Amino acid sequence: MKYVLVTGGVVSGLGKGVTASSIGVLLKACGLRVTSIKIDPYLNTDAGTMSPFEHGEVFVLDDGGEVDLDLGNYERFLDIKLTRDNNITTGKIYQHVIAKERKGDYLGKTVQVVPHVTDAIQDWIERVAVIPVDGEEGPADVCVIELGGTIGDIESAPFIEALGQFSYRVGPGNFCLVHVSLVPVLNVVGEQKTKPTQHSVKGLRGLGLTPDILACRSTKPLEDNVKEKLAQFCHVPLQYIFTLYDVPNIWHIPLLLKDQKAHLAISKVLNLASILNEPSLGEWTSRAELCDNLHVPVRIAVVGKYTGLSDAYLSVLKALLHASVACRKKLVVDWVPACDLEKETEKENPDAYKAAWKLLKGVDGVLVPGGFGDRGVEGKILAAKYARENKIPFLGICLGMQIAVIEFARSVLSLHDANSTEFTPETKHPCIIFMPEGSRTHMGGTMRLGSRKSFFNVKDSKSAKLYGNKSFVDERHRHRYEVNPDMVERLEKAGLSFAAKDETGKRMEIIELPNHPFFIGAQFHPEFKSRPGKASPLFLGLIAASCGELDTVLNPASAHQHLISNGPKNVYVNGTPKKSPNSLADVRYNNGYCNGLYTR
């Protein structure tokens, strides 16, 4: 097993996760099998109890692991399925060490950070690195490890020590350290400054780790004299210093690394030259260029609680983007704070109220993502009501589905006090209730988590067609409240269709309004499985409906006949016509994607 460690210096938020993912893409394009590990030095056992404002979204894995959002980047870039153990935290390590001490596994020794905690970290990495994540048998060739935080953080000290020891444990030729650092440009003088990176590397070396490769973040490509200065003062060969400058979308990052021959540098450090192929990134290049050349907009309102931080809905954004590019549209996201749609805001801040409603009324589609707590719930209900009554394409995810049920009960069944027991425990008409198996005393890891089957019971529903008329789908869940099964029959008689249920038939998974152009809610989180090459079907449906092209996606036969009559369209990339995929009906199987989007 070969290991690539990615660390960060100077400031946080440089893009270590994207860099680690891009290195993985590049190595995979060279014919290697790649897996990933993310180390988060915080004391939390996992990301499940952390506010999105603290650390961005909580990404959910197939096995129910609630992990850092960077694992979502790894899965999307590398098209792999990771496990909860691929996310290492200080909390997990100390929990593991203390459990062993209580069992007496240390044979009376004084348990210390060195060697017991550092050994536990190294053992964890070696154990997880050999777990197959790409659907094939046997371990991967390379494990890319990202160390969260910034060099010098006190909480990461045990991990730095462990990784220093680990480099000696695995031996020369098996460990490559890529240090991501900032080379700022001062506007006053317009000069790229190397001193922050010099100090960062000095600190890293002082902690026992020596970088093999420097990945320098900057607004523009590094000048030759700057690279020479970095090579001299950081003791890194000139050909091992790469620039990760600002690009239109992050799909260009693997291409930047390829153009600078980063794969050759890594292969030389890891003694992989004999088995490394020339990277095949033709499809990846087409996606990145296609994304840059989309101009026809599709406007989607994201009505949520955490709209001030886009990372809180990162997977939702990526899934929207995948579907938008599949439909050859430029995604425009209008962030609508749910609270600003409420009547209280009209009294307290009328300008914010008017602005929110103006945004909502100017979009092509509405998406209400998941969330917890009662703040903004009434605004989300109003958004669902607006979309339902005005025939605006609507997708509700998790809580977004639940508020759609509440709105339907209030408006159509005239149950004006209908609500969720999460917000109004004493409501006389509980549309949404606490799941019987849930814990009311412990928050972490007690929800209904991970991949679960949803069985379609309405065969001609839009959602079933979007999923290719399968009998069931596996999607990832994260919730502790559900639709009240005692109200299902009444809701169905009023016109709300429950298109999919769990294996017991008692837990509602997908809702639809049959007489609406596109009004779907899902209890699961379809965004977590959206990948380059395969857009999430429900997101694809939302975007297609918002573009007026839903019939083309739902009816492949008619779309194919339209193609025969009219021929495939050309997509112009850098002035050169290139054939687009055969039809929108094929986008479920032959998508072009990117990661660039415009938001406001």
Side-chain angles (χ1 to χ4, degrees):
M1 175 67 68
K2 308 289 186 177
Y3 299 90
V4 177
L5 172 64
V6 179
T7 61
V10 185
V11 294
S12 60
L14 285 178
K16 295 189 305 297
V18 174
T19 303
S21 300
S22 299
I23 289 171
V25 167
L26 187 57
L27 295 177
K28 185 176 179 180
C30 292
L32 301 175
R33 293 175 60 199
V34 181
T35 184
S36 295
I37 293 175
K38 173 67 187 298
I39 297 174
D40 285 303
Y42 47 67
L43 280 168
N44 303 63
T45 302
D46 58 34
T49 57
M50 298 172 69
S51 165
F53 282 129
E54 289 280 331
H55 215 66
E57 76 169 3
V58 177
F59 191 81
V60 179
L61 303 171
D62 270 2
D63 65 0
E66 297 172 285
V67 296
D68 182 81
L69 59 81
D70 279 317
L71 276 79
N73 276 329
Y74 305 157
E75 286 205 344
R76 283 186 290 269
F77 269 61
L78 298 170
D79 193 20
I80 55 179
K81 291 184 179 180
L82 300 171
T83 71
R84 68 179 72 228
D85 286 344
N86 288 83
N87 192 193
I88 305 174
T89 69
T90 299
K92 286 181 180 178
I93 294 297
Y94 275 85
Q95 194 175 57
H96 172 74
V97 170
I98 291 170
K100 288 186 68 177
E101 184 275 331
R102 291 290 82 189
K103 288 170 61 180
D105 288 351
Y106 293 115
L107 300 175
K109 294 283 187 181
T110 301
V111 181
Q112 298 174 291
V113 173
V114 180
H116 302 103
V117 170
T118 52
D119 283 351
I121 294 168
Q122 295 175 72
D123 293 343
W124 194 301
I125 291 172
E126 284 193 323
R127 174 175 60 84
V128 173
V130 298
I131 298 174
V133 295
D134 56 2
E136 298 183 27
E137 294 184 359
D141 301 305
V142 180
C143 177
V144 180
I145 305 168
E146 179 194 347
L147 175 61
T150 307
I151 294 301
D153 293 344
I154 191 169
E155 60 263 28
S156 62
F159 291 100
I160 293 288
E161 175 62 28
L163 290 164
Q165 295 179 18
F166 189 69
S167 67
Y168 287 98
R169 178 191 284 201
V170 299
N174 295 311
F175 188 88
C176 176
L177 200 166
V178 179
H179 188 57
V180 183
S181 187
L182 178 67
V183 178
V185 177
L186 298 182
N187 291 332
V188 178
V189 294
E191 179 186 2
Q192 293 177 331
K193 308 300 290 186
T194 65
K195 192 63 70 175
T197 295
Q198 290 181 44
H199 281 292
S200 180
V201 171
K202 181 180 179 181
L204 186 62
R205 292 168 71 93
L207 294 169
L209 286 171
T210 301
D212 298 293
I213 293 171
L214 287 182
C216 299
R217 287 284 291 112
S218 189
T219 54
K220 298 178 180 179
L222 289 187
E223 298 168 4
D224 290 341
N225 65 311
V226 172
K227 293 178 71 172
E228 290 170 2
K229 192 173 182 180
L230 286 170
Q232 180 180 7
F233 286 95
C234 297
H235 304 165
V236 175
L238 190 65
Q239 65 271 27
Y240 289 3
I241 299 176
F242 306 114
T243 314
L244 301 179
Y245 54 85
D246 295 347
V247 290
N249 66 76
I250 61 173
W251 293 100
H252 286 283
I253 301 300
L255 305 179
L256 283 183
L257 292 171
K258 172 182 176 288
D259 291 343
Q260 298 173 78
K261 302 190 184 305
H263 55 292
L264 298 181
I266 294 172
S267 69
K268 191 169 183 179
V269 175
L270 295 178
N271 294 330
L272 289 170
S274 61
I275 63 171
L276 203 70
N277 301 321
E278 185 65 23
S280 176
L281 286 170
E283 184 179 353
W284 194 278
T285 303
S286 298
R287 289 170 185 159
E289 291 178 342
L290 174 62
C291 182
D292 294 340
N293 287 275
L294 295 174
H295 302 292
V296 180
V298 55
R299 306 190 75 89
I300 302 296
V302 176
V303 183
K305 179 179 177 181
Y306 312 108
T307 53
L309 180 68
S310 61
D311 272 1
Y313 302 115
L314 185 62
S315 291
V316 169
L317 282 177
K318 300 306 181 188
L320 282 172
L321 188 63
H322 296 163
S324 298
V325 179
C327 292
R328 299 299 184 265
K329 298 296 187 292
K330 182 179 180 65
L331 176 64
V332 181
V333 174
D334 285 334
W335 297 101
V336 181
C339 291
D340 289 353
L341 296 172
E342 298 173 357
K343 288 294 183 182
E344 289 77 7
T345 304
E346 184 179 19
K347 300 174 184 176
E348 298 171 2
N349 191 344
D351 290 340
Y353 178 81
K354 291 177 182 177
W357 276 103
K358 183 179 180 180
L359 280 177
L360 186 63
K361 291 180 179 180
V363 299
D364 303 307
V366 176
L367 187 147
V368 179
F372 298 91
D374 60 357
R375 183 168 67 85
V377 164
E378 292 302 321
K380 295 174 184 178
I381 291 173
L382 288 170
K385 181 183 173 98
Y386 172 79
R388 181 181 60 81
E389 292 180 343
N390 292 277
K391 305 296 185 181
I392 305 296
F394 173 89
L395 177 60
I397 298 172
C398 198
L399 177 61
M401 181 192 101
Q402 295 174 6
I403 61 97
V405 173
I406 294 170
E407 189 281 321
F408 188 87
R410 290 181 182 180
S411 300
V412 180
L413 293 178
S414 299
L415 304 177
H416 301 299
D417 65 339
N419 214 327
S420 167
T421 56
E422 179 180 5
F423 316 127
T424 309
E426 67 280 2
T427 179
K428 293 181 180 179
H429 298 100
C431 295
I432 310 297
I433 60 172
F434 192 82
M435 292 189 300
E437 68 269 33
S439 172
R440 294 184 181 274
T441 58
H442 289 72
M443 300 290 286
T446 59
M447 289 185 276
R448 184 169 178 248
L449 293 164
S451 188
R452 312 273 181 142
K453 286 187 173 71
S454 300
F455 294 86
F456 290 104
N457 54 289
V458 181
K459 298 301 181 184
D460 61 343
S461 64
K462 294 183 181 71
S463 54
K465 290 179 180 178
L466 286 169
Y467 278 102
N469 291 312
K470 296 178 181 178
S471 60
F472 68 90
V473 292
D474 267 306
E475 293 282 10
R476 298 176 183 178
H477 294 67
R478 185 176 185 247
H479 65 108
R480 56 169 53 91
Y481 287 84
E482 63 177 341
V483 175
N484 185 352
D486 293 338
M487 291 195 66
V488 168
E489 184 178 356
R490 191 173 178 183
L491 290 164
E492 285 181 323
K493 287 181 179 179
L496 186 65
S497 172
F498 293 95
K501 303 178 182 179
D502 76 340
E503 66 277 3
T504 68
K506 297 180 179 179
R507 186 158 281 156
M508 306 301 113
E509 294 284 2
I510 298 178
I511 66 163
E512 284 190 32
L513 285 178
N515 60 349
H516 191 284
F518 188 89
F519 194 99
I520 292 179
Q523 185 59 76
F524 49 79
H525 288 263
E527 69 270 23
F528 291 143
K529 286 194 173 182
S530 186
R531 300 281 185 273
K534 185 176 66 175
S536 165
L538 296 187
F539 279 85
L540 181 62
L542 173 67
I543 296 298
S546 300
C547 299
E549 299 171 350
L550 182 61
D551 287 343
T552 311
V553 175
L554 294 180
N555 301 297
S558 62
H560 184 67
Q561 184 59 45
H562 175 80
L563 175 70
I564 293 173
S565 303
N566 298 283
K569 297 179 181 179
N570 283 331
V571 176
Y572 286 85
V573 178
N574 294 334
T576 302
K578 296 186 178 181
K579 291 292 184 182
S580 67
N582 291 334
S583 71
L584 272 177
D586 297 329
V587 295
R588 282 172 290 182
Y589 314 102
N590 183 23
N591 285 330
Y593 298 94
C594 70
N595 263 22
L597 72 161
Y598 171 74
T599 65
R600 74 172 210 183

